[in-house]
Amino acid sequence: MMIGYATVGSDGELGQVSDMLFDDTTWQLRWIVVNTRHWFARREVLLPVDTLSRVDPIRRLAIVELTMQQIEGSLAVEAHQPVSQQAAFQKDGDPHLRSVVAVVGHRVYLLDSVVGHIEELLVDDAGWLICYVRIDTCKWHPGDRVLLAPHSVREIDWVDRLVHVDIDCRELAAHPARYGAIWMRKVNHDATHADA
């Protein structure tokens, strides 16, 4: 994900990506939350994800097709609060809008047990879709990770910080490809390989 990336517009650095908001039914990224650092009265603003022209992971840059003046006219972060913030700000918000920052760290429950927690959401920057949920399987296979396709997620419970997945441990271990899963097994201290 791009959390912490510098956001650069056509006339200079605009701030830093502090969060990204996605729809939990389509797993489409919808908004980038940019902390404008003190140059603008509203500290955090929302930018539509389609304003991103490219991402440079080497230099940790998110390049947008906007100027500082256009940023000043963009939405305040309070305009579209994710589910985790709606109780504090608004009652009639979008029930499917989720914060990447809030979801990372949620415990993951398969049908028969807890397996670990969400470590990262992996995005395809061609269409800004979340293509995998990376899970640290510390409660089941310490040291391993599994990438799960988002359609396996049945429910995200932000109150209890849980993610429920419609697969059981035995099926996932025996048939990962059936669920679009990729195992990343720990081989040594600095190498992994995918089993699927």
Side-chain angles (χ1 to χ4, degrees):
M1 292 306 287
M2 297 181 292
I3 310 302
Y5 279 30
T7 308
V8 178
S10 57
D11 56 355
E13 187 172 334
L14 306 172
Q16 189 174 65
V17 177
S18 59
D19 202 351
M20 301 188 81
L21 307 181
F22 68 97
D23 184 310
D24 70 3
T25 58
T26 63
W27 293 82
Q28 176 81 49
L29 287 178
R30 290 176 43 194
W31 300 99
I32 308 162
V33 181
V34 176
N35 183 329
T36 59
R37 300 179 179 148
H38 301 291
W39 69 264
F40 178 43
R42 281 196 323 246
R43 189 177 169 108
E44 288 192 315
V45 295
L46 290 175
L47 303 182
V49 74
D50 62 8
T51 62
L52 273 170
S53 59
R54 69 185 179 89
V55 175
D56 182 341
I58 304 297
R59 297 189 301 158
R60 295 181 52 81
L61 297 176
I63 296 142
V64 296
E65 297 174 346
L66 296 172
T67 64
M68 287 180 144
Q69 185 176 7
Q70 289 172 313
I71 290 282
E72 286 187 272
S74 62
L75 290 172
V77 73
E78 292 80 16
H80 293 283
Q81 287 294 325
V83 171
S84 59
Q85 297 295 317
Q86 285 174 17
F89 288 96
Q90 60 195 55
K91 301 291 187 190
D92 57 348
D94 183 341
H96 298 291
L97 193 62
R98 302 290 176 162
S99 156
V100 167
V101 169
V103 169
V104 168
H106 277 33
R107 287 170 292 155
V108 178
Y109 277 81
L110 298 188
L111 291 173
D112 50 357
S113 68
V114 62
V115 294
H117 61 272
I118 292 182
E119 192 171 64
E120 189 176 13
L121 302 178
L122 304 180
V123 177
D124 177 356
D125 62 4
W128 301 112
L129 282 172
I130 295 171
C131 53
Y132 285 107
V133 177
R134 184 165 71 187
I135 299 166
D136 181 340
T137 59
C138 56
K139 300 286 186 187
W140 183 31
H141 287 280
D144 289 352
R145 307 288 189 272
V146 66
L147 303 180
L148 275 183
H151 63 76
S152 302
V153 174
R154 174 172 39 92
E155 178 188 4
I156 300 172
D157 178 349
W158 72 267
V159 175
D160 293 323
R161 294 185 49 81
L162 302 175
V163 172
H164 297 277
V165 180
D166 280 335
I167 305 171
D168 65 39
C169 292
R170 182 183 54 79
E171 279 294 303
L172 181 58
H175 307 288
R178 181 183 303 167
Y179 300 102
I182 300 172
W183 275 102
M184 300 167 70
R185 304 282 190 194
K186 186 169 182 178
V187 176
N188 57 37
H189 293 298
D190 56 10
T192 60
H193 71 275
D195 282 351

